[in-house]
Amino acid sequence: MLDRFRIRQDRSGAVVISGNGRGVLYGVYELLRRFGGCEWYTPTTSVIPKIPRFVVPAGTDIREKAAFVTRETSWWPIMSDPAFALRRRMNGTRAIHRAAERGIPVRPALRFCGDLWICHTFAKLCPAAKYGKTHPEYFAYNNGTRLTEGDPQTFHQLCLTNPDVLEIVTSNVLDCIRRHPESDIFGVSQNDNNRRCQCERCLAVEKEEDSPAGPIIRFVNAIAERVEREFPGKMIETLAYQYSRKAPKRTRPRDNVMVCLCTVELDFSKPIVGNAFKENQAFMKDIVDWFKIAKHIYIWDY
């Protein structure tokens, strides 16, 4: 597991051991925190005590490893200061993408592609501005019409059972990977609205899968299969969000697909577990169901 570290006191003194650069830094900061009383609250607010001697007790042997491969937050001090992010053990793309600029020789645990960020990428991958007038059938059929007008994020979705849409999106994803070989994860996900496609073919897939996530996972799996042939090791990320939060009944995400499960509807005034609010109870079922079928889960917590 990356980011693990060990702090050991032996005859030569205190030793920090790790398999990578972030783990070494985490170990040093933990050493300073635990035995020196240091703490870092913001990039400009720290507690660094003056002590006569820095003592690590004999026999000390501390081992820590990360519970999650990647960890980040949208809190601006974390996103704007990679050194502070490392002190707080944040290792996501937004947290330490500027590390190299600051002379810090580490990289994110998993690097999301900037051209296809973590969410709402259908508008980029098959834009209505390019195809809406000539091919309205590429876009969601909702309430009796094809949605090609208005703001892409708030009005558009794609028809995920249209083979031409699959080919266009796949081609654009592959081109993006060729342009950004340094990235690990490429987002292919619904726009930020509830206007999913309700054409006969998409509804038929939803019925088979007992979830609107069914057409999405089948669509993303087809792209991920093509990606794996040319770019083994690259991952496709998609959303389980709003209408797509419920896991499909039949189709499992491929091993190179990451599902981003979102908690936007939840009541956070109390712990999620044991909360009587219906959305919290539904989310607990959804997260269990996704973990049964998906190898990679990313939690977007609000």
Side-chain angles (χ1 to χ4, degrees):
M1 172 74 74
L2 295 177
D3 293 352
R4 71 172 63 194
F5 63 83
R6 181 180 183 186
I7 299 172
R8 183 166 55 88
Q9 171 71 302
D10 59 20
R11 292 180 180 178
S12 62
V15 180
V16 177
I17 305 167
S18 178
N20 71 10
R22 289 191 309 271
V24 172
L25 285 169
Y26 298 157
V28 171
Y29 289 134
E30 182 62 22
L31 185 72
L32 294 172
R33 180 181 289 114
R34 189 173 298 208
F35 301 108
C38 299
E39 191 52 87
W40 298 270
Y41 296 106
T42 76
T44 58
T45 306
S46 303
V47 174
I48 312 295
K50 292 182 179 180
I51 55 177
R53 294 181 64 207
F54 187 87
V55 178
V56 179
T60 294
D61 193 353
I62 300 166
R63 302 167 190 248
E64 291 195 16
K65 63 179 181 179
F68 304 101
V69 173
T70 186
R71 306 167 300 280
E72 62 183 341
T73 174
S74 296
W75 187 39
W76 178 245
I78 291 288
M79 294 193 294
S80 62
D81 192 313
F84 178 62
L86 286 163
R87 290 173 186 141
R88 306 309 308 174
R89 303 190 194 179
M90 297 288 118
N91 67 358
T93 299
R94 291 181 295 180
I96 58 175
H97 72 287
R98 297 176 183 169
E101 298 172 9
R102 307 285 183 89
I104 303 171
V106 297
R107 58 159 288 168
L110 294 172
R111 191 187 298 271
F112 281 86
C113 177
D115 283 2
L116 294 177
W117 195 235
I118 191 171
C119 57
H120 311 315
T121 63
F122 282 176
K124 291 182 178 180
L125 291 167
C126 186
K130 182 174 183 179
Y131 298 107
K133 291 183 178 179
T134 55
H135 292 282
E137 72 276 11
Y138 291 176
F139 300 90
Y141 181 80
N142 189 279
N143 290 327
T145 186
R146 293 285 177 178
L147 302 177
T148 59
E149 302 295 330
D151 177 71
Q153 282 300 337
T154 55
F155 286 96
H156 300 172
Q157 297 292 357
L158 299 179
C159 178
L160 300 180
T161 55
N162 186 303
D164 291 341
V165 172
L166 176 60
E167 190 57 39
I168 289 168
V169 173
T170 301
S171 177
N172 285 332
V173 170
L174 291 171
D175 285 345
C176 188
I177 298 174
R178 295 182 190 110
R179 293 195 309 273
H180 297 281
E182 76 284 355
S183 297
D184 305 300
I185 305 174
F186 299 81
V188 180
S189 59
Q190 68 207 60
N191 296 331
D192 198 6
N193 66 76
N194 284 307
R195 297 176 174 87
R196 73 186 194 277
C197 187
Q198 296 174 328
C199 74
E200 289 185 6
R201 291 179 302 186
C202 287
L203 288 180
V205 175
E206 287 188 16
K207 185 176 180 180
E208 290 177 9
E209 298 284 2
D210 193 29
S211 171
I216 295 174
I217 296 301
R218 292 189 188 188
F219 183 81
V220 169
N221 274 355
I223 296 169
E225 183 177 8
R226 290 272 299 274
V227 166
E228 190 173 32
R229 291 181 214 159
E230 188 172 345
F231 300 103
K234 301 300 184 185
M235 193 173 299
I236 301 300
E237 176 268 340
T238 197
L239 293 176
Y241 170 66
Q242 294 185 338
Y243 66 84
S244 65
R245 206 184 72 193
K246 181 181 178 182
K249 183 166 63 176
R250 297 176 56 181
T251 302
R252 301 174 66 93
R254 288 177 58 84
D255 284 353
N256 62 331
V257 170
M258 175 183 287
V259 176
C260 180
L261 186 59
C262 305
T263 65
V264 63
E265 302 91 349
L266 273 56
D267 167 23
F268 295 101
S269 66
K270 300 179 183 66
I272 296 175
V273 177
N275 193 311
F277 183 54
K278 65 177 183 179
E279 288 292 349
N280 290 53
Q281 294 181 352
F283 180 81
M284 290 307 300
K285 181 179 187 310
D286 290 341
I287 196 171
V288 169
D289 290 344
W290 279 109
F291 267 92
K292 289 177 181 176
I293 64 172
K295 184 175 181 180
H296 306 284
I297 298 285
Y298 188 103
I299 301 296
W300 187 290
D301 188 26
Y302 294 77

